[in-house]
Amino acid sequence: MKRVFSGVQPTGNIHLGNYLGALRQFVELQEDNQCIYCIVDMHAITVPQDPETLRKHTLDVAALYLAIGIDPKKSIVFVQSDVSGHAELSWILTCSSYTGELSRMTQFKDKSKNKESAPAGLFTYPILMAADILLYDTDVVPVGNDQKQHIELCRDIAGRINSRFPDTFVMPEGRFLKAGARIMALDDPTKKMSKSAENIHSRISLLDEPSKIKKSIMKATTDSEGVIRFDAENKPGISNLLNIYSVLSGITVEDLEKRYKGSGYGTFKKDLVDVTVEALAPIKARYEEIRSSQMLIDTLKDGAERADAIAQKTMTRVKENFGLGLK
Ligand code: ATP
Ligand code: LTN
């Protein structure tokens, strides 16, 4: 059995991009692998967070994990800050990383753009992510395309340490879906759908009301050609909607193009609203039930204990290899 690890930040607004790019894979993978799914609250504090809101969002994401079908009997679900190994390993990896490679991370460049000085945590964010992955001897990391560069950095750091201290870490691999790996913003299909974008109609959050979903899709930017055809370069808006429709319905993009030949964007969008509302309704219903239950807290406590047992074994091996602490 392979070990799978992934994480989502508790920053609210889990959207279709997160779901179709990453979370959807989490559910499939738990059938044949040992999966560990984390709510990475320590990554969230790389930008200022209100403590109450952060704690609420942590439970929101945990409830969503379970609502989409992650089964705590099959997978470990826990909160990052409940396992101290993440911070501990992160420091050790920091000492084997270079400012040059961190400066090349596009996410850091984007998030620190136009700022005179950026928080150091934003700069070292990918190292904490590498620690998350390496702490659990992870083989496979299911993520969206935007995390490719971070996974490569994790592999570079692991390789560097392994060449000095052989067999310290398992070399992980990213797992990226072809369809849905990059869902674009509805208002500007040249940018990825994002939690932090100001315009709420740029995204569809998994818990949006049907009326909000309708408004966001009907407002989505398209083009003036009026033909429903996949062409990501010249028709990014309609291609993004085709992509979302295809993944949610299981109908191929080619079949959708045939089905909507001669139809206008309005008809296509209306149908997409129905498909989206229908796909999200059961998630929303399960979410409401789980979010207020004691079962959620018990699951996270149990998950942290199981995760910690694995993490401690790795930390013992890492410290021994590095000569840290007493034997
Ligand atoms: P932000 O959009 O504010 O940068 P984020 O949504 O990228 O935040 P996370 O919550 O950490 O940040 O992402 C969770 C997962 O969702 C990651 O695996 C990420 O690759 C994936 N993901 C995020 N946005 C998209 C998108 N637009 N399309 C596909 N996958 C995405
Ligand atoms: N940086 C990731 C979230 C994340 C993660 C991880 C994903 C933190 N640690 C470990 C996979 C494995 C993001 O999606 N923004």
Side-chain angles (χ1 to χ4, degrees):
M1 259 208 197
K2 289 207 166 164
R3 173 79 51 76
V4 172
F5 182 96
S6 196
V8 172
Q9 296 191 67
T11 38
N13 298 321
I14 298 287
H15 52 70
L16 266 187
N18 301 135
Y19 180 52
L20 301 182
L23 290 157
R24 192 167 51 106
Q25 306 187 59
F26 295 5
V27 182
E28 289 164 24
L29 284 165
Q30 66 181 351
E31 300 311 323
D32 311 308
N33 301 280
Q34 195 201 356
C35 297
I36 306 179
Y37 298 124
C38 185
I39 299 119
V40 291
D41 57 346
M42 295 208 296
H43 276 100
I45 61 164
T46 50
V47 295
Q49 299 284 343
D50 169 63
E52 282 312 306
T53 313
L54 177 61
R55 204 161 273 136
K56 177 188 170 296
H57 283 161
T58 297
L59 292 174
D60 290 349
V61 173
L64 258 183
Y65 269 169
L66 304 186
I68 60 163
I70 293 172
D71 178 353
K73 289 198 197 78
K74 295 181 184 150
S75 303
I76 297 177
V77 180
F78 77 106
V79 180
Q80 186 186 32
S81 60
D82 281 342
V83 177
S84 60
H86 294 256
E88 218 177 335
L89 183 58
S90 185
W91 174 252
I92 297 172
L93 301 185
T94 301
C95 298
S96 294
S97 304
Y98 291 91
T99 53
E101 56 190 355
L102 293 172
S103 311
R104 285 192 288 275
M105 295 294 114
T106 53
Q107 183 171 305
F108 172 70
K109 285 198 249 179
D110 285 350
K111 297 206 169 175
S112 61
K113 211 167 22 194
N114 305 326
K115 289 198 183 104
E116 206 175 294
S117 180
L122 215 49
F123 188 60
T124 56
Y125 176 113
I127 302 181
L128 179 59
M129 175 163 164
D132 298 341
I133 297 168
L134 300 177
L135 191 57
Y136 297 97
D137 294 336
T138 303
D139 300 296
V140 181
V141 188
V143 275
N145 262 355
D146 61 323
Q147 297 301 312
K148 252 188 188 155
Q149 208 187 15
H150 290 163
I151 304 281
E152 270 318 302
L153 180 73
C154 171
R155 289 169 54 87
D156 288 348
I157 298 171
R160 194 176 295 147
I161 293 175
N162 278 350
S163 65
R164 219 178 135 207
F165 306 118
D167 300 324
T168 302
F169 295 121
V170 170
M171 189 59 75
E173 270 178 35
R175 184 177 192 266
F176 312 94
L177 293 172
K178 277 202 194 86
R182 199 169 164 78
I183 300 295
M184 309 311 284
L186 298 179
D187 61 337
D188 178 358
T190 61
K191 294 200 185 113
K192 75 160 195 159
M193 187 177 281
S194 162
K195 286 175 184 168
S196 36
E198 242 167 67
N199 180 4
I200 57 161
H201 294 295
S202 68
R203 63 181 162 260
I204 292 173
S205 296
L206 292 195
L207 303 173
D208 274 350
E209 293 299 332
S211 57
K212 151 72 177 61
I213 295 177
K214 184 171 181 193
K215 202 159 179 195
S216 303
I217 292 181
M218 296 315 286
K219 276 165 90 91
T221 302
T222 48
D223 54 68
S224 54
E225 193 192 27
V227 178
I228 295 158
R229 175 167 57 81
F230 191 91
D231 177 351
E233 204 165 304
N234 300 306
K235 293 165 71 70
I238 209 71
S239 302
N240 187 39
L241 297 182
L242 273 166
N243 201 5
I244 295 173
Y245 196 142
S246 167
V247 184
L248 287 179
S249 66
I251 307 171
T252 65
V253 168
E254 295 79 61
D255 284 346
L256 287 173
E257 284 175 338
K258 276 185 214 144
R259 180 184 293 192
Y260 288 99
K261 203 168 177 212
S263 303
Y265 291 162
T267 313
F268 172 74
K269 281 179 167 179
K270 269 193 203 124
D271 288 356
L272 177 57
V273 171
D274 292 343
V275 167
T276 309
V277 169
E278 201 177 306
L280 299 187
I283 296 179
K284 200 168 153 61
R286 275 199 299 272
Y287 172 86
E288 306 293 349
E289 201 180 305
I290 295 165
R291 180 62 177 82
S292 53
S293 71
Q294 179 61 30
M295 182 272 273
L296 181 62
I297 309 290
D298 295 344
T299 298
L300 292 174
K301 279 191 184 154
D302 176 62
E305 268 174 35
R306 288 157 69 199
D308 192 51
I310 304 173
Q312 282 195 31
K313 272 196 198 148
T314 309
M315 285 317 296
T316 303
R317 184 176 76 228
V318 171
K319 282 178 164 175
E320 191 168 312
N321 289 359
F322 273 80
L324 293 167
L326 297 177
K327 258 210 162 180

